[in-house]
Amino acid sequence: MTGGAGGGADRAAAAGAALARSARGRTARVMYAAAGALLLLALGAVAVRGVAEPRVALAFTALIALGECVRITLPGDREQAPIGAAGALAYALLGPLRGVPTAHGTLQVVAVTGAGLLLAWLPGLALPHRAGRPHRRPPWADQARRDSAARRLLAVGFAAAVFQPLYNGGMVDRFSPEGPAYGAFLTAVAALAALCDATLAAVLRASATGLRFPAALEDELRSLFGIGSAIVATGMLVSLAAGEVGLWALPLFCTPLLLAQVSFRRAAAVRATTGQTIASLARATEVAGYTPHGHARRVADTACALGRELGLGTRELALLEYAALMHDVGQLSLVEPVPDGATALLPCDEQQRIARLGSEVISRTGVPRQVAEQVARLADPCPGPVGGEGPVPLAARIIRVANAHDDLLTAARGRGLGEAVGRLEALEVLRLGRGRVYDARVVDALARFGGQGRG
């Protein structure tokens, strides 16, 4: 009977994961269909009417294509092509060119953006497959690239649909291109386009990862204050400067954005080094025989699944994963290892001592200070302030539940219990301490997905 219930929990968790994948597929297909229909409409309209200002359209197409080939990876494994995005936005907001009005319109903006994206994908169509060299997937086969392209077309189409009809209809003529009102209008349109792109990205991210939509949207909006603000500013500057200097504005004002990309690449290298430091510390307790093999990774996977269930954003999830991987570093100070590394079964005072010793080690490694603070509070009782230090951080409460869950499962396996029975027993122990030793919300979240770490 118990095993059947445990199997039911496992099947429910698997069904939930399959449902999430299905929802993500439906969301992506709807977005692809909308972007594809818009692009086909735009290409058809341009084919019938002809290309307005072909030299200008060709210059922006080349800029978008080149920008798409120079991409960066942002925190949270988000890919971005800042120069391509800025070029597309600039064309959508392009008014006069060297003082001469333009007349390319909304659909040509979409067509030029789509042509630039397609040109960036063309080299991937004929990539040679050499012996002894792994086959590279073409860009159009990359899920992140397809998502980015669909979002780009829809967001740029939105910006052009707001700006171009007003400009071509003469309603913007009341604003002098040199005056503040015209700049404020461009800023408002660019901000709305950025908000549109962030919303689309949040929808895709929430459906792909199971992250709650408000948390996903918060992540995307937060990224606007980084490279996103540089993209919007560059797009606006290019469109404004083109009115005076013409197409020279494209290379002139995109160069600073290229330098910003270099800085982001260096920041990514620093993050990679931090990740290697954390991985080494996480492995140290296993190599020294203080914790079972894979314990830190299992705790981190379960903690991240709980964090997503509780609505944490990408940055909070990253810090949570770091702390979960290093939560047992304090055990290296022990003369004798704890049996099976199960700190959850130790007296509370000993757990707190180990947590604080681990925090002292972590604080000297250069990782964000929040990680050390979370590890220091791992063993503090969950209800209310302790010793004047304030409430226990949610991340610390999550890791405490995830760690205890894995320790209890390990103990159950050691007694020869089956996996399903062990999971039920571990969950029952956690429920007994719900609200006293373990945070009630975290235990309830663990029960909802059956204690299955989802990475």
Side-chain angles (χ1 to χ4, degrees):
M1 183 71 177
T2 305
D10 292 348
R11 288 191 295 273
L19 186 62
R21 288 193 297 271
S22 175
R24 192 259 180 269
R26 286 196 301 272
T27 302
R29 284 194 296 272
V30 169
M31 196 170 294
Y32 296 161
L38 179 62
L39 180 57
L40 288 175
L41 175 64
L43 291 173
V46 170
V48 171
R49 301 174 188 170
V51 180
E53 296 107 16
R55 187 172 62 92
V56 179
L58 182 60
F60 276 96
T61 300
L63 177 64
I64 294 168
L66 290 173
E68 285 294 320
C69 294
V70 186
R71 303 176 69 85
I72 58 174
T73 301
L74 301 175
D77 294 328
R78 290 192 297 263
E79 276 200 358
Q80 181 64 274
I83 294 177
L89 180 62
Y91 194 52
L93 302 180
L94 183 63
L97 185 70
R98 277 186 176 273
V100 178
T102 58
H104 48 275
T106 301
L107 290 178
Q108 184 166 313
V109 170
V110 176
V112 164
T113 302
L117 292 169
L118 292 172
L119 280 175
W121 286 359
L122 281 179
L125 296 175
L127 283 174
H129 177 62
R130 299 178 184 175
R133 182 177 176 179
H135 178 65
R136 291 178 57 194
R137 299 178 67 197
W140 47 263
D142 189 331
Q143 182 75 55
R145 291 283 184 97
R146 294 199 302 271
D147 290 353
S148 175
R151 284 168 34 216
R152 181 77 46 78
L153 283 171
L154 294 173
V156 168
F158 172 79
V162 173
F163 177 81
Q164 289 295 326
L166 295 177
Y167 175 77
N168 293 325
M171 297 184 67
V172 184
D173 291 344
R174 68 186 67 177
F175 304 139
S176 169
E178 293 84 16
Y182 185 73
F185 175 63
L186 283 183
T187 302
V189 176
L192 287 173
L195 181 60
C196 174
D197 182 71
T199 302
L200 294 173
V203 169
L204 283 172
R205 191 169 185 82
S207 61
T209 64
L211 191 65
R212 296 181 188 276
F213 176 75
L217 182 59
E218 181 183 351
D219 284 343
E220 298 300 333
L221 292 177
R222 188 177 294 164
S223 73
L224 288 178
F225 295 99
I227 196 69
S229 60
I231 292 171
V232 171
T234 302
M236 289 171 49
L237 280 173
V238 170
S239 65
L240 285 170
E244 296 295 329
V245 302
L247 294 179
W248 283 107
L250 275 64
L252 184 64
F253 287 95
C254 284
T255 300
L257 189 56
L258 182 61
L259 297 177
Q261 281 193 229
V262 174
S263 299
F264 270 87
R265 288 185 185 278
R266 290 180 178 175
V270 171
R271 287 197 302 272
T273 302
T274 301
Q276 292 169 0
T277 301
I278 290 168
S280 299
L281 281 172
R283 285 278 296 152
T285 55
E286 296 178 10
V287 172
Y290 282 86
T291 59
H293 177 72
H295 169 74
R297 183 70 263 170
R298 291 192 300 272
V299 171
D301 289 346
T302 302
C304 288
L306 289 168
R308 282 193 291 271
E309 186 74 21
L310 293 169
L312 295 186
T314 300
R315 174 170 169 76
E316 288 78 13
L317 285 172
L319 296 175
L320 174 65
E321 183 178 18
Y322 289 168
L325 285 171
M326 296 189 291
H327 74 280
D328 271 329
V329 168
Q331 289 202 47
L332 295 174
S333 64
L334 301 177
V335 177
E336 292 292 335
V338 178
D340 294 323
T343 52
L345 307 180
L346 293 174
C348 188
D349 290 346
E350 185 65 9
Q351 291 185 43
Q352 291 176 346
R353 186 180 76 85
I354 293 172
R356 281 165 171 71
L357 287 170
S359 174
E360 291 177 10
V361 173
I362 293 169
S363 64
R364 290 172 171 78
T365 61
V367 301
R369 61 177 179 78
Q370 295 98 318
V371 176
E373 292 171 359
Q374 291 168 8
V375 172
R377 305 295 302 280
L378 285 180
D380 288 353
C382 62
V386 176
E389 297 182 42
V392 179
L394 176 59
R397 288 177 269 153
I398 289 173
I399 297 170
R400 183 169 195 181
V401 169
N403 176 60
H405 181 260
D406 194 70
D407 285 348
L408 291 166
L409 274 180
T410 301
R413 293 187 193 107
R415 299 199 311 273
L417 295 180
E419 191 70 15
V421 177
R423 287 185 184 280
L424 281 178
E425 182 184 276
L427 191 55
E428 186 61 30
V429 172
L430 294 174
R431 279 174 170 157
L432 290 174
R434 181 182 179 276
R436 296 182 298 103
V437 181
Y438 305 110
D439 184 89
R441 280 200 308 149
V442 180
V443 174
D444 292 344
L446 182 72
R448 280 197 294 273
F449 67 86
Q452 305 258 2
R454 291 181 292 191

